[in-house]
Amino acid sequence: MADITRRPGLRHLRSAPTAHIRHHRGGRLAHDGVGLSFWFRPLSAALSEVPVDDRELAVAFHARTADFQDVTVQATVTYRVSDPALAAERVDFSVDPDTGSWRGAPLEQLSTLLTESAQQHALDVLARTSLAAALADGVAAVRERIVAGLAAEPRLPATGIEVVAVRVVAIRPEPEVERALRTPARERIQQDADRATYERRAVAVERERAIAENELASRIELARQEERLVEQRGVNARREAEEKAAADAVRTDADAARTVALARADAESARTVGEARAAAQRSWLDAHASADPTTLHALAATRLAENVPRIESLTLSPDVLTGLLARLGGGAGAGGPAGAGGGAYVGGAGSGRV
């Protein structure tokens, strides 16, 4: 919308760069162009403002397919006014010289023209297309048909309108039909999900089984190793017992041999000692056999003296002394034994009578 400044008897118009202004004064064209700014008299001026920028027109309408199913088509048509002068002649784009707003609704007229043209061509193509085909490939087909139909529409160039682009956003069936169409797909998706779940569970069970088999194999191998260990321990214990028995046998044989050797040595020593003693005794006896009886008596007395207790005092009776002296002087036959009434008395710790 143009920006108009009011002054007494005068008006000033300033337009946007995307608006084409046509100013007629007294039936003649005074100003014609885009982005103009000028003064004018409101009583003698006729103003038109034609937008020349690209406009987006949302189109939504219902159609029926070849199998009598209602669908909703959502599309967007991009257009522009390529010939502002021609558009201003065919459509009322006049503006109020006081407010700068359109006196009518020119854009609604253009929207109606474009909407009806696009709807006509879309209905024509959908009427020969089934619902399944329309939902699968209908968007591209409808877009191509609308583009071709609008390009061939004679009213658009005659009005100075150029279609820039056409976009078909969606083709939707009724909610009940859409839910019915979604059901098989949902069932297939659910079946795929269930299959994936079952496969995942099967894989998990298979992995658990493999793990259990590995654990069982490990236990079996461990039991085998333990069996070998026990067997080896038995062999080692048996070998150790055999070695110990052999060592004990060797030790026993050595002890027996040593005992026998010691016994033989003791016997040999005893025999040698006995022989030596026997020889000494024999020599002793031989020496005594050849000795004088008097000497033997003296030796006997000496031996007896060695073995009798200590004598502190000795009393000799006259009879004993006489006999001894007689024997010492005359020999063994000079006297007889000591008289019956004679004797000697020995006193002291070992005192006694002789």
Side-chain angles (χ1 to χ4, degrees):
M1 186 176 64
D3 184 13
I4 296 179
T5 304
R6 301 175 62 180
R7 293 290 186 272
L10 292 175
R11 302 289 186 271
H12 183 270
L13 182 145
R14 183 176 65 240
S15 65
T18 58
H20 186 95
I21 301 297
R22 292 176 62 85
H23 174 212
H24 289 80
R25 184 176 57 232
R28 294 191 303 272
L29 186 63
H31 297 91
D32 187 14
V34 177
L36 298 180
S37 179
F38 54 87
W39 291 92
F40 65 93
R41 294 182 179 275
L43 296 179
S44 61
L47 301 175
S48 298
E49 181 182 4
V50 181
V52 294
D53 57 336
D54 291 348
R55 297 270 172 165
E56 300 287 341
L57 175 62
V59 179
F61 53 89
H62 292 277
R64 178 170 293 182
T65 61
D67 48 1
F68 304 101
Q69 298 295 325
D70 290 336
V71 294
T72 301
V73 181
Q74 295 179 357
T76 301
V77 178
T78 304
Y79 70 96
R80 62 185 295 270
V81 178
S82 59
D83 192 346
L86 185 59
E89 293 177 358
R90 301 295 300 271
V91 181
D92 184 12
F93 283 96
S94 62
V95 297
D96 189 345
D98 291 331
T99 61
S101 59
W102 282 309
R103 296 179 183 273
L107 296 181
E108 292 182 2
Q109 295 180 1
L110 298 181
S111 299
T112 302
L113 175 61
L114 291 172
T115 301
E116 291 179 353
S117 299
Q119 182 176 357
Q120 177 183 357
H121 299 294
L123 292 176
D124 185 37
V125 69
L126 288 174
R128 297 190 300 270
T129 307
S130 63
L131 178 62
L135 296 178
D137 302 323
V139 172
V142 170
R143 182 180 63 250
E144 293 176 357
R145 184 70 180 84
I146 291 176
V147 170
L150 292 179
E153 181 67 35
R155 291 185 59 188
L156 298 181
T159 313
I161 298 175
E162 177 185 358
V163 177
V164 178
V166 176
R167 298 187 301 276
V168 178
V169 179
I171 298 177
R172 295 183 179 276
E174 293 182 348
E176 295 81 4
V177 177
E178 187 174 5
R179 284 194 295 268
L181 293 175
R182 288 178 179 178
T183 300
R186 288 181 177 178
E187 292 296 331
R188 288 194 299 271
I189 293 173
Q190 187 64 37
Q191 292 175 3
D192 294 339
D194 294 340
R195 187 180 303 107
T197 301
Y198 297 150
E199 291 178 355
R200 183 172 64 254
R201 291 179 180 176
V203 171
V205 171
E206 182 67 21
R207 290 180 178 176
E208 290 179 358
R209 184 184 64 80
I211 293 173
E213 290 180 354
N214 292 334
E215 291 180 353
L216 181 60
S218 300
R219 292 179 181 178
I220 294 174
E221 184 63 24
L222 181 60
R224 290 178 180 175
Q225 296 294 335
E226 291 180 354
E227 181 181 0
R228 293 178 184 176
L229 179 60
V230 171
E231 182 180 357
Q232 187 62 38
R233 286 179 177 175
V235 172
N236 294 339
R238 185 169 59 253
R239 185 175 300 171
E240 183 178 359
E242 292 176 355
E243 294 293 336
K244 186 176 182 181
D248 292 340
V250 172
R251 189 181 302 107
T252 302
D253 293 341
D255 293 341
R258 184 169 61 254
T259 302
V260 172
L262 291 176
R264 289 178 180 176
D266 292 341
E268 185 66 26
S269 177
R271 187 173 57 254
T272 303
V273 171
E275 290 178 354
R277 289 181 178 177
Q281 188 69 23
R282 194 168 44 251
S283 299
W284 186 77
L285 292 175
D286 291 341
H288 283 72
S290 60
D292 187 19
T294 304
T295 305
L296 294 176
H297 291 164
L299 290 174
T302 303
R303 185 64 58 82
L304 180 61
E306 292 177 358
N307 294 324
V308 296
R310 188 179 60 181
I311 301 173
E312 295 180 357
S313 62
L314 178 61
T315 303
L316 296 177
S317 65
D319 293 339
V320 176
L321 183 58
T322 301
L324 289 175
L325 291 177
R327 288 183 180 181
L328 290 176
Y345 173 77
V346 181
S351 61
R353 295 181 64 88
V354 179

